[in-house]
Amino acid sequence: MKLQYERRWREIVGPLERRPATGGGSLECLIGNTPLVELRSVTSGLPPGVRVFGKAEWTNPGGSVKDRAARAMIRQGERLGLLNRTKTLIDATSGNTGIAYAMLCAARGYRCTLAIPANAGPERKRMLAILGAELILTDPLEGGTDEAQRVVRDIVAARPDRYYYPDQYNNDANWRAHYDGTGPEIWRQTLRGITHFVAGLGTTGTFVGTARKLKELNGAITCVSFQPDSPLHGLEGLKHLSTARVPGIYDPSLADRHESIGTEEAYRMARRLAREEGLFVGVSAAAGVAVALRIASELEQGTVVTIFPDGGNRYLADRFWSAS
Ligand code: PMP
């Protein structure tokens, strides 16, 4: 009984123990080693041998999975001598990466400029400004983050000496953050028992890095990627890859299976997770659960892990929460 209890404790909260005690660490030490949360209610009806977990990335200090990639890209810039206090970090971001850059740049004394589609949520823009980032608002009708990327490339081309442009869509440090962090963490936290990994595609860093590591650790793990089912969607942070610019770091060969999901299905699941599990997670996290449940419903036995990229508070102003 005691052993079983300790095993569960390690599985669910163990990683938090590795975070430094107060007074000992920097802000960056709080990034990663996020807990795995088991879904208990929305999984009812599945065989007892099938378990579904979400990795609680909102517990990172910037509130999202993107803290991992931003830290890796900033460290890479420093290592290569491309980023120092005479430079400005600049990138295109729909929100979470921007918050992570702004937070880490503030902590390290770097200037930070972000191109962001003008229709991004007001809370996000406010948070970026509070963290000291300069914002360039781009035309959302010109193609969302693709347009923001184009604007950044023009600015950097005009004054390359002034900027460090990590370019998260084409930077190997993005997926490597997950290859070195997210993947091994999931492996440890499931006591090497993960059978299926499910993640959405934005820059694709989370899926590519985690799937690549998990496949190396056990080639039998099934890796499932998913994307919105249409170009006009409400799954913030995810891309409809057949109509968007495909990120350079994307490796489609890592997916054993590819799923698509509609915005309404994700909204419904976000409401269910809040009411039935007490999990107030973001829309892409809810989409991950909906896809994970599709996979889980086909199994007799298995451990399915998805990612909760951010928390519901990033979407508080959205109206879908109040639908029944
Ligand atoms: N969900 C949210 C809320 C995000 O901000 C992102 C990052 N764009 C993703 C999912 C996808 O992560 P990645 O960029 O690593 O593919």
Side-chain angles (χ1 to χ4, degrees), residues 64-66 69 93-97 124 168-169 174-175 178 199-208 226 235-239 247 249 282-285 307-311 314-315:
S64 87
V65 68
K66 299 304 303 202
T93 161
S94 65
N96 281 330
T97 308
R124 290 206 180 193
Q168 56 166 341
Y169 294 90
N174 177 353
W175 66 263
H178 301 281
L201 301 173
T203 66
T204 75
T206 306
F207 178 76
V208 167
F226 69 87
L235 304 179
E236 177 126 7
L238 300 185
K239 271 181 177 282
I249 58 171
V283 184
S284 65
I307 303 286
F308 295 157
D310 62 7
R314 291 266 151 95
Y315 309 87

Side-chain angles (χ1 to χ4, degrees), residues 265-280:
E265 188 180 351
Y267 284 168
R268 266 198 307 279
M269 184 54 75
R271 291 191 292 268
R272 281 192 70 192
L273 289 169
R275 286 173 202 172
E276 296 177 33
E277 302 272 359
L279 284 170
F280 185 38

Side-chain angles (χ1 to χ4, degrees), residues 238-296:
L238 300 185
K239 271 181 177 282
H240 183 250
L241 285 182
S242 41
T243 53
R245 178 190 289 269
V246 177
I249 58 171
Y250 183 40
D251 178 357
S253 73
L254 289 165
D256 299 288
R257 180 164 163 180
H258 189 77
E259 294 283 315
S260 55
I261 175 149
T263 301
E264 285 306 319
E265 188 180 351
Y267 284 168
R268 266 198 307 279
M269 184 54 75
R271 291 191 292 268
R272 281 192 70 192
L273 289 169
R275 286 173 202 172
E276 296 177 33
E277 302 272 359
L279 284 170
F280 185 38
V281 295
V283 184
S284 65
V289 172
V291 174
L293 291 179
R294 261 184 227 168
I295 308 295

